[in-house]
Amino acid sequence: MSDVVTKRVRERDKRNYRHIEVRPFAPNLGAEIRGIDLAEGLNEEQFEEVHHAFLDNQILFFKEQSEIPPATHIEIAKMFGELHFHPAAPGMDGYPEIFEIHAHAKSKIANGEFWHSDVSCDEVPPLGTMLQIHILPECGGDTMFADSYAAWETLSEPMREMLDGLHGVHESEHVYRGRYSDRGMEDEGKVYPSARHPIARTHPETGRKALYVNRAFTTGIAELAPDESSAILALLLAHAEHVDFQIRFRWEKNDMAFWDNRCAMHRALWDYWPAERKGNRVTIKGDRPS
Ligand code: SIN
């Protein structure tokens, strides 16, 4: 694939923020947020600016944070919408809304090792995810993010015309079956979600289109013949993961990342085994993709 195809200039909003400091993380994607400590909660004015920065940057990295108590983490997430409950993973004791991200020497899997948009197999997949990491390996355990607006916008016009109106098949049986058995989740007889979503997904708040397919959950293109589906999907996945659309975040203790699943994918690197990495994740329910 030619690099030229992926180049584009991204205009950031010129807004003056009064309650938070917003620094671009990379020219096209992500921003670092300073000036607030989420452990103290978010007031309405801070919320309004964080929400604006979130829509403008797709992924926010809150720096210089204290450890956020679970109840506060849940409260902040609820300001953005109703919460989403994971279809397979267990919730934290006393806080079912919190999904503990935890990998250590005895882990057989770590979460999010393949490019994905969280739980895209749900009929109504999550709007966004807030993850704070409390225990980090000495090095490694970075998370990569990719810009799905850029992926859509850099496809050629004939390709976009062909894809507009087609649907990706998103499945989860192959991802979730048996996955959390070491955390006490028995799933015999359980049916895991699957859904069909537009390949060109229109973001309900920005109105922009994003390429909505990902390697973990998307298994085909509903309207195409099997050979066409696998060839076109392979091309789209490779395009969506192009290095030009990526950023790689190196965590510091208590950083909080807040990503928009409607227009960005992510992938967590498990390069630190047998060291430990642990944090709390809360996910916000979104809209049915359209
Ligand atoms: C995930 O939620 O997919 C895991 C992300 C991470 O551990 O960095």
Side-chain angles (χ1 to χ4, degrees), residues 120-157:
S120 69
C121 52
D122 266 359
E123 287 285 350
V124 183
L127 167 167
T129 304
M130 291 180 168
L131 173 65
Q132 184 176 49
I133 297 287
H134 306 134
I135 299 176
L136 278 166
E138 191 184 349
C139 58
D142 298 353
T143 306
M144 300 170 75
F145 295 89
D147 181 351
S148 309
Y149 287 143
W152 177 256
E153 288 162 12
T154 54
L155 288 170
S156 66
E157 203 176 320

Side-chain angles (χ1 to χ4, degrees), residues 105-117:
K106 293 197 177 130
S107 298
K108 294 202 169 57
I109 52 131
N111 272 93
E113 277 197 274
F114 296 93
W115 281 108
H116 65 287
S117 169

Side-chain angles (χ1 to χ4, degrees), residues 86 99 101-102 110-114 116-119 129-131 133 141-145 179 249 251 257 259 261 266-269 272 277-279 281 283:
H86 198 277
F99 173 9
I101 297 293
H102 195 190
N111 272 93
E113 277 197 274
F114 296 93
H116 65 287
S117 169
D118 285 324
V119 201
T129 304
M130 291 180 168
L131 173 65
I133 297 287
D142 298 353
T143 306
M144 300 170 75
F145 295 89
R179 189 175 179 89
F249 181 60
W251 297 82
W259 59 84
N261 285 300
H266 59 286
R267 174 180 175 173
L269 300 181
Y272 51 89
R277 181 177 180 275
K278 189 168 195 277
R281 172 180 135 163
T283 306

